[in-house]
Amino acid sequence: MSRVFRVPVAPARTGGARRTETADRLPEVPSARAGIVAGVLSPHPPHLIYAENPPQNEPRSTGGWEVLRWAYERLRQRIREVHRPDVLIVHAPHWITMVGHHVNCVPNPRGVSVEPIFPHLFRYSYDFRSDVELGEAIADEASDLGLVTRKLRDPRVRVDYATIGALHLVNPAWDIPVVSLSANNNPYFYSDASLEEMEVLGEATRRAVERTGRRAVLLASNSLSHLHWHEEPDLPEDMEREHPYNNHQYRWDMKLLEAMRRGPTAPLRELISEHIEATSSETKAGSLTWMLAAMGWPQVPGDVLGYGTIIGTGNAVVEWTPQGGHRG
């Protein structure tokens, strides 16, 4: 792991004030209802929001990519009726930070998020609430575990489309507070980097969730195979043109998804890395590894709610719960 992005882990504190920008801290006694109640692989392609025609998004469409959108509809129902979280925590690959892991601690981010490659599909007006206390707790826990961290407080921040995309698709009502985490792009640029650091961030997330007494759903905003077309049809939602980039990419996606469906998740540690090498998978940003590590690498299978391609990339909506119960 590059030393630029990791500092030596501090010894456990036995007393005294903890490093924090918050005056009062909750005691480290998790409540009976606290914890991570679900984790979701929740890809963010802007096409899915474009196809939904929500009022927040300026472009209009005639639909498309229905199988993936139906998967998200099922997930929304589970979140409302079963998980009932206090907060959604999202790690997205397009809030890129070159040094360390940043946590959005702006209380009420507002603005317009534009997808830089597909601005004709995604120009989205957002206005949501952050769980600042939990965000600060995650940053503190990560710092204590030796990660370089930063609490973002600039209200002028423009939230990236991957964060907005995943959050809208999971909760278009935007009535659940949010914590958003950046993607430290060390894995993109340093050959000696690995996904180990994302496991540390996952542990920090779990500790913070339990200490603050939250019920949390984690969102790993990653696509799977990530080779894609460089030209699109005149009608972007023309499903005649939608298919996997090639058979090699598709087969590797199926290999990974079959392992998720079988469970447990521990073998995914190695398989995720193999899948990245084989398919240029977007999971190299670490969101999936972060989420599964935060859940303690569940012994249960994942529930694959849907799979589909978007401009050739593979996308799957997959849910894990601590109990492993799959609800229709």
Side-chain angles (χ1 to χ4, degrees):
M1 185 60 57
S2 172
R3 291 187 296 274
V4 174
F5 298 95
R6 186 91 179 260
V7 297
V9 176
R13 290 184 172 84
T14 58
R18 187 176 181 187
R19 178 176 61 255
T20 179
E21 299 173 34
T22 303
D24 298 320
R25 303 298 297 273
L26 294 177
E28 298 199 21
V29 180
S31 72
R33 63 188 295 271
I36 296 168
V37 295
V40 183
L41 177 60
S42 51
H44 59 261
H47 304 66
L48 298 181
I49 293 178
Y50 166 70
E52 273 196 357
N53 289 318
Q56 300 98 322
N57 197 41
E58 183 183 340
R60 300 289 93 184
S61 80
T62 61
W65 303 280
E66 279 77 11
V67 172
L68 279 168
R69 293 197 289 119
W70 293 339
Y72 269 115
E73 287 179 5
R74 291 178 62 197
L75 177 63
R76 293 169 188 171
Q77 182 178 5
R78 293 181 182 187
I79 288 174
R80 289 282 176 193
E81 298 179 1
V82 179
H83 303 317
R84 300 186 299 277
D86 301 315
V87 63
L88 302 172
I89 309 175
V90 58
H91 187 282
H94 297 304
W95 179 13
I96 298 173
T97 52
M98 299 309 300
V99 178
H101 306 270
H102 295 206
V103 183
N104 190 341
C105 294
V106 177
N108 180 204
R110 289 178 290 178
V112 178
S113 184
V114 179
E115 212 283 11
I117 300 176
F118 298 101
H120 59 300
L121 304 184
F122 192 90
R123 299 189 299 276
Y124 189 102
S125 298
Y126 60 87
D127 182 345
F128 63 90
R129 293 174 296 136
S130 297
D131 186 334
V132 175
E133 181 185 39
L134 177 57
E136 291 176 343
I138 292 173
D140 288 336
E141 293 286 357
S143 183
D144 284 351
L145 289 173
L147 300 183
V148 175
T149 62
R150 175 67 60 87
K151 299 170 185 176
L152 176 68
R153 301 191 187 278
D154 188 344
R156 299 169 298 177
V157 63
R158 178 171 292 181
V159 182
D160 65 284
Y161 78 92
T163 296
I164 296 298
L167 289 169
H168 171 94
L169 290 163
V170 168
N171 179 40
W174 290 94
D175 56 355
I176 303 172
V178 169
V179 173
S180 59
L181 309 177
S182 78
N184 169 237
N185 269 223
N186 187 358
Y188 282 87
F189 296 104
Y190 289 86
S191 60
D192 62 338
S194 72
L195 296 174
E196 174 191 354
E197 189 161 325
M198 300 308 300
E199 296 207 39
V200 179
L201 184 62
E203 173 65 13
T205 301
R206 181 192 61 78
R207 292 185 183 187
V209 167
E210 293 179 353
R211 182 165 57 79
T212 56
R214 302 301 199 263
R215 286 177 62 87
V217 169
L218 307 187
L219 308 178
S221 179
N222 285 156
S223 294
L224 296 181
S225 61
H226 213 244
L227 296 183
H228 53 78
W229 316 121
H230 296 286
E231 297 180 1
E232 66 177 358
D234 292 336
L235 182 68
E237 58 266 39
D238 183 355
M239 292 295 98
E240 182 183 13
R241 302 286 296 275
E242 191 58 82
H243 55 85
Y245 186 84
N246 59 34
N247 188 57
H248 171 82
Q249 299 285 97
Y250 175 77
R251 290 299 175 191
W252 265 99
D253 281 353
M254 293 303 104
K255 182 176 181 179
L256 186 65
L257 289 173
E258 286 291 350
M260 292 177 181
R261 294 176 69 237
R262 285 194 305 268
T265 61
L268 295 177
R269 272 193 174 106
E270 181 177 350
L271 188 55
I272 287 171
S273 295
E274 294 175 359
H275 183 263
I276 290 169
E277 290 297 320
T279 69
S280 299
S281 174
E282 197 175 37
T283 59
K284 67 182 177 180
S287 306
L288 179 58
T289 298
W290 157 78
M291 181 190 72
L292 293 174
M295 298 183 73
W297 294 94
Q299 293 296 309
V300 299
D303 190 1
V304 179
L305 301 178
Y307 174 87
T309 61
I310 297 178
I311 61 170
T313 67
N315 297 268
V317 180
V318 186
E319 179 194 39
W320 285 267
T321 61
Q323 300 80 17
H326 297 159
R327 292 158 291 275

